[in-house]
Amino acid sequence: MTNYIGKSVKRVEDKRFITGQGNYTDDIKIPNMVHAYIVRSPYAHAHVKNIDTAEALKVPGVVSILTGADIPEAIAGVPCGWQVDFKNGDTMKEPPHPLLVRGTVRHVGDGVAVVMAETKAIAKDAADLIDVDYDVLDAVADPKKAAEPGAPQVHPDCPGNLCFDWELGNPKEEVAAALASAHHVTELDFVNQRVVPNAMETRGVVAQYDTAYDKYTIWTSTQNPHLIRLLMCAFVLGIPEHKVRVVGPDVGGGFGSKIFHYAEEALLVWASKHIGRPIKWTCDRSEAFMTDAHGRDHNSNAKMGFDKDGKIVALQATTFANLGAYLSTFAPAVPTYLHGTLMQGLYTTPKVNVDVKAMFTHTNAVDAYRGAGRPEATYLLERLLDLAALEMDMDPAELRLKNFIPAFDGVEQPGYQTQVALQYDSGNYEPVLKRALEMVGYENFRKDQAAALSTNKILGIGFSTYIEACGIAPSAVVGALGARAGLFESAQVRVQPTGKVSVYTGSHSHGQGHETTFAQIVADKMGIALEDVEIIHGDSDSVAFGMGTYGSRSLAVGGSAIVKSIEKVLDKGAKVAAHLLEASVDDLDYAEGKWTVKGTDKSVSFGDVSLTAYVPHNYPEGLEPGLDFSSFYDPANFTYPFGAHIAIVEIDKETGATKLLRFIAVDDVGNVINPMIVDGQIHGGLAQGIGQAMHEGALYDDTGQLINGSYMDYCMPRADDFPSFEIDRTVTPCPHNPLGVKGAGEAGCIGSTPAVVNAVVDALWKAGYKVKDIPMPMTPERVWTAMQG
Amino acid sequence: MIPISFNYKKASSVDEALSLMTDDAKILGGGHSLIPALKLRLNSVDTLIDISKIENIKGINDNAQSVTVGGGATHASIASNSALAKAAPMMAEAAHTIGDRQVRNMGTIGGSIAHADPAADWPAVLLASDANVVIKNKTGQREVDIDQFFTGFYETALADGEIITAIRIPKTAYNANSVYEKFKQPASRFAIVGIAAAAEMDGNVVKALRIGVTGLAEVAFRPMEVEKELIGKELTEANIDAALGTIANGVSVMGDHYASEKYRTHLAKVYTKRALLRLK
Amino acid sequence: MKNKISVNVNGKQYEGEVEGRELLVNFLREHLSLTGTHIGCDTSSCGACTIHLNGHAVKSCTVLAVQADGAEVTTVEGLATNGELHPIQEGFKEEHGLQCGFCTPGMMMTAVDLLKSNANPTEHEIRDALEGNFCRCTGYHNIVKSIQYAAKKMNGATA
């Protein structure tokens, strides 16, 4: 009855969602609420000469129209949460990011004015009547072009559009020397294109100011309510933190894009007091395309050297990373500490150097998107490996097996120290690849591939063996790397007098199933029924503190915090039980929800102990009443999931149309609490990673226009784009957290992208078209063009 | 997304709809071309006249010489109609590739061809079928030969104040032997190229042939030279290849970020060949 | 200008006054507080707003509320009967066909429409039928399984 860990328990949160009772931000209605619509720049770069709101103000039902000039100077812009300084020690460039522009727009979608009206329709009608006089300026959208002399400048105080430059690993000269003496060097210039997160629920905010309590409440579709509160109160509005309640209600997917503190949140909170009415803003999808922080957008050159046996001798990676026009919350960390640090991969490469230039452009901000930096690192490494295998006429699986770091469990054997700062916790890499090869039927596939060469449908196979770093921590380390927040997690386990348990976690679920997985841990560890546990999250007034959910951190960090609190509860419970049983704590066993005196049938139930703790008539002397504990867990290290992904594609030689025939993923995410949920996380990650390879990509033209900012142009992957996924896992526990878990949210997205591109390159190469790269997304025309020679 | 305000008028018959017509009114059929444009405020209207409730323009009638498809027939009803499946199988095949399941349940053939999106499917199919478009206006009824219907980029022979009440698909030997091949834009699911082909065969030899091409140019068209070249010939790969060189003659080929002019032209050839090779 | 409408939603008759431009999805969400039907895009693409109009799955973001005058509408809130989950709802729960839940109502409404016309769809037919419904969480893998579960259950029940 109480054995829940490791079981595919059906999700407890599902009932409200399948009956239409989910409560997302746009579902929230407050009496007297007005609706906001934001007027956004249609230009990437322009001076705003004048904003005429006179006609708009005449529209019946308009309550207020505000522009940047109406916002007090004391209100700062949107802050950045991470500081990465220049190589030479100079401070990172951190240009202001006002809530509404003052004078200059810097990307299409930059907020110019906000209209608040009785209905959204009226707000929109009025917005159409606002006359903004723009003086249009030259723009730059590409990060490499932004670095060229004479490029249009995004900010006056950021010469050369450089936010910072950054380097990690062995000295460049050493890497260059190793490459120079290598038997073979594989070199690739490529773009890891910009993608749009596209959570199905667009962002939304409802803000309310309560004059009686002098308190603000904001409902926002966020992945981390407390972080929003902290950033908004301390850095933007200067409101005391205890006077703001931030609620992240049901949130319809995030994928990174809802981590960040957005201008609309602070704008509505401030405006709700300014106009004296609650305000709702719900982002249109077209607006989401222009303003939800995008992902990826790296322009890279990479060189990997091999000795004659195929051992990697060195890696040089050089990247221009596009940060967009403004610094989003975690933007500086993504191309650096979440990217450069992963360039060791699963391999024993002795010399690694990563060089990154972080660029401002006249585009929407780029920040963490599922995987955040790690997919870009994996893409670089895994593309090079498959390409090197083709160039050296070696088997890509063999080439990897030759270079894998030998197994280490992090307990008997120490963690693996990379050349790029990290120490891997535990790893056993051969089994994931071997299992994937077994599942794919590798030898048979190569026979099928050879047979298909004589037809119009050629076949290819692509590999990717990846590692990622999750549960970003500990705080002291991330602090040293530039994070302006700690990255721990909090948990409160509150036992009610009847023995029912309420758990308050600082993690936030926006699809990951916390209400089930966390309840499984609590029920299992406490020996009580799952129904007797409730997981509460997402409200800064009920949860003490929290850092939220991203970076596959919820279970490893948030789950571990819960375990700590459970231990405290059971320790105290044992003291009460010992008193009731007239025994010593050391003589008690706890199992199945009761304390038993060893070797006897004398026992007392968890429920009775709970009641005693709250009705302490017969109670241990000196012990406080109550059974309610909080904990803050700050991990010892990141966790390092890994895996092997294999894609098989079929290409129509006449059109270049590529079909994904099979996708095999063997992942190792450490211990697994709920296999069903973990599988679901992998599936979703795979779809996003494959989507990037085959379908998705935000396109900015040279004037900074986003030319495919709708679902009619930006290709979202659909059901008929995928086969059923074939997945399996190995288990290498994390040695440093109490659950032995590593994190599963991003794995699928990190490993899959290069496997698909490698499969297409393999197909083409085997058919005689020796192309090194197909730019993503690999549209039929791009594949077809590659075959035209 | 909310349209700019407009007046709404519901018509319960075509005559009522025509009587409600004013200069700045537009007809609302299934709404699946018009409402998206209104929502994005790419378009605005003073008055919408809703003809979606008029039952007698929704049906599909199997007559002796033709199948008459009501202008208000949904794509879904066309996809599942047995008379059309026999008389012009390309109709059902094309209907099933339009939009998605929900769009097909609501969108209508009349609305689609009145909108005349250059990447829509119906224009190719109707051109290949030699359809007639039945149009009503305040003064009466007229029929327009499909070859004269699509006149330009989002332009048709439909005059202001007119309503498409039906499309007549002739029961011919070539329509009974017809196919539709489509290369979809993966995001919008409109056609990058869509090829409808209908042929009457005399043994292995082509007796009559009509091809409709959508997606390639600013307006759907028939590649007359290709049709002519294949009359009297067998539909072998070699014959088809020899005929396809002229497919884009005289038209202005479209290109965009997803498919360039060169690639679109190539696809038109590949998909025309695939369509022709399926004809019996 | 306001238009009077009368719509049967989930078996209940509602009278309302709406502007011509009011979308059906907005009417359901704002006037009737049936917020289970969601808005995920502005181009009639994503399917989060899928409902049944006179028994057929349609995108309620691309239907005017006035067009639903006199019609029967079923939304996700109307799927369960007397507190008993519809097989499709059960399927989504049993097969983990949802994560964030935002696309789920629309997915289920499309799936029910499919199962009405094809009681035993193949995997290919299911994926094809979901062409107009986007999910960003599940990779569609378990959505397909959820619909297969419902098909099996519904066939068992009627057999």
Side-chain angles (χ1 to χ4, degrees), chain C residues 38-116:
Chain C
H38 298 145
I39 301 168
C41 74
D42 39 35
T43 49
S44 317
S45 310
C46 79
C49 65
T50 303
I51 55 137
H52 290 184
L53 183 66
N54 293 326
H56 297 291
V58 302
K59 291 179 170 175
S60 63
C61 74
T62 314
V63 178
L64 302 176
V66 283
Q67 288 181 285
D69 182 29
E72 280 185 19
V73 167
T74 308
T75 69
V76 63
E77 289 91 346
L79 274 182
T81 42
N82 303 324
E84 196 175 325
L85 293 180
H86 186 283
I88 197 70
Q89 293 171 308
E90 203 182 306
F92 270 73
K93 182 174 168 74
E94 289 298 314
E95 297 292 346
H96 189 29
L98 66 149
Q99 290 180 26
C100 82
F102 195 79
C103 76
T104 312
M107 281 284 173
M108 294 193 301
M109 298 313 286
T110 300
V112 170
D113 189 54
L114 166 70
L115 294 176
K116 268 192 207 167

Side-chain angles (χ1 to χ4, degrees), chain A residues 438-720:
Chain A
E438 186 181 290
M439 286 165 72
V440 81
Y442 190 36
E443 285 174 23
N444 282 337
F445 171 77
R446 288 295 186 191
K447 285 180 202 154
D448 294 346
Q449 184 180 29
L453 283 177
S454 59
T455 73
N456 259 334
K457 300 272 177 81
I458 55 173
L459 300 173
I461 189 167
F463 294 83
S464 166
T465 49
Y466 72 90
I467 187 160
E468 55 160 331
C470 297
I472 308 161
S475 296
V477 171
V478 295
L481 301 181
R484 289 166 172 169
L487 284 167
F488 53 85
E489 195 48 272
S490 86
Q492 181 183 11
V493 174
R494 171 176 296 168
V495 181
Q496 310 289 359
T498 53
K500 310 297 180 195
V501 179
S502 305
V503 178
Y504 299 81
T505 174
S507 279
H508 184 278
S509 176
H510 25 283
Q512 297 89 342
H514 291 43
E515 290 166 45
T516 306
T517 302
F518 283 177
Q520 283 178 257
I521 295 167
V522 176
D524 202 291
K525 299 262 177 207
M526 300 185 79
I528 58 177
L530 193 79
E531 303 74 54
D532 291 346
V533 182
E534 185 170 53
I535 306 297
I536 295 137
H537 68 91
D539 185 339
S540 69
D541 264 12
S542 45
V543 178
F545 198 73
M547 295 310 299
T549 287
Y550 40 83
S552 308
R553 70 193 302 274
S554 292
L555 194 53
V557 190
S560 296
I562 293 174
V563 171
K564 277 186 72 176
S565 287
I566 292 170
E567 285 167 358
K568 291 177 189 173
V569 165
L570 293 180
D571 279 352
K572 185 172 178 183
K575 288 177 190 159
V576 178
H579 178 81
L580 294 174
L581 292 166
E582 296 174 335
S584 119
V585 167
D586 296 339
D587 289 337
L588 300 185
D589 280 333
Y590 185 73
E592 298 285 319
K594 60 187 179 189
W595 282 272
T596 306
V597 181
K598 285 174 189 162
T600 74
D601 57 1
K602 277 178 68 182
S603 69
V604 60
S605 73
F606 180 74
D608 286 342
V609 166
S610 306
L611 190 62
T612 306
Y614 286 93
V615 189
H617 298 164
N618 174 18
Y619 204 65
E621 203 173 317
L623 194 66
E624 280 180 26
L627 203 48
D628 185 342
F629 283 96
S630 290
S631 303
F632 289 77
Y633 179 77
D634 202 346
N637 191 359
F638 292 72
T639 62
Y640 298 89
F642 55 90
H645 291 184
I646 300 178
I648 290 182
V649 298
E650 179 189 83
I651 299 171
D652 181 334
K653 269 173 79 176
E654 286 185 311
T655 64
T658 301
K659 189 174 173 193
L660 182 66
L661 293 183
R662 291 177 68 192
F663 200 95
I664 289 93
V666 181
D667 300 284
D668 191 319
V669 299
N671 288 340
V672 169
I673 307 297
N674 185 320
M676 176 190 82
I677 289 177
V678 168
D679 288 352
Q681 289 295 306
I682 299 293
H683 295 151
L686 293 178
Q688 276 171 287
I690 295 164
Q692 182 180 9
M694 300 185 71
H695 306 290
E696 302 180 43
L699 293 169
Y700 279 97
D701 70 12
D702 289 340
T703 68
Q705 283 296 330
L706 177 60
I707 59 174
N708 62 344
S710 91
Y711 286 153
M712 297 300 276
D713 294 304
Y714 184 98
C715 182
M716 280 283 280
R718 303 186 204 192
D720 59 1

Side-chain angles (χ1 to χ4, degrees), chain A residues 25-44:
Chain A
T25 302
D26 192 46
D27 301 339
I28 292 165
K29 278 186 207 170
I30 296 178
N32 206 31
M33 181 170 82
V34 300
H35 298 261
Y37 182 84
I38 296 172
V39 177
R40 298 188 181 278
S41 170
Y43 303 109

Side-chain angles (χ1 to χ4, degrees), chain B residues 153-209:
Chain B
F153 191 59
Y154 290 99
E155 282 176 11
T156 69
L158 202 63
D160 286 343
E162 292 191 318
I163 294 172
I164 298 169
T165 56
I167 293 108
R168 260 194 250 289
I169 311 291
K171 285 186 172 175
T172 57
Y174 57 82
N175 277 340
N177 181 33
S178 63
V179 298
Y180 186 65
E181 285 280 336
K182 175 177 181 178
F183 189 94
K184 288 181 184 184
Q185 210 281 16
S188 68
R189 308 251 154 163
F190 274 87
I192 293 291
V193 297
I195 308 291
E200 179 182 359
M201 305 298 286
D202 186 358
N204 289 330
V205 171
V206 175
K207 194 172 163 195
L209 174 66

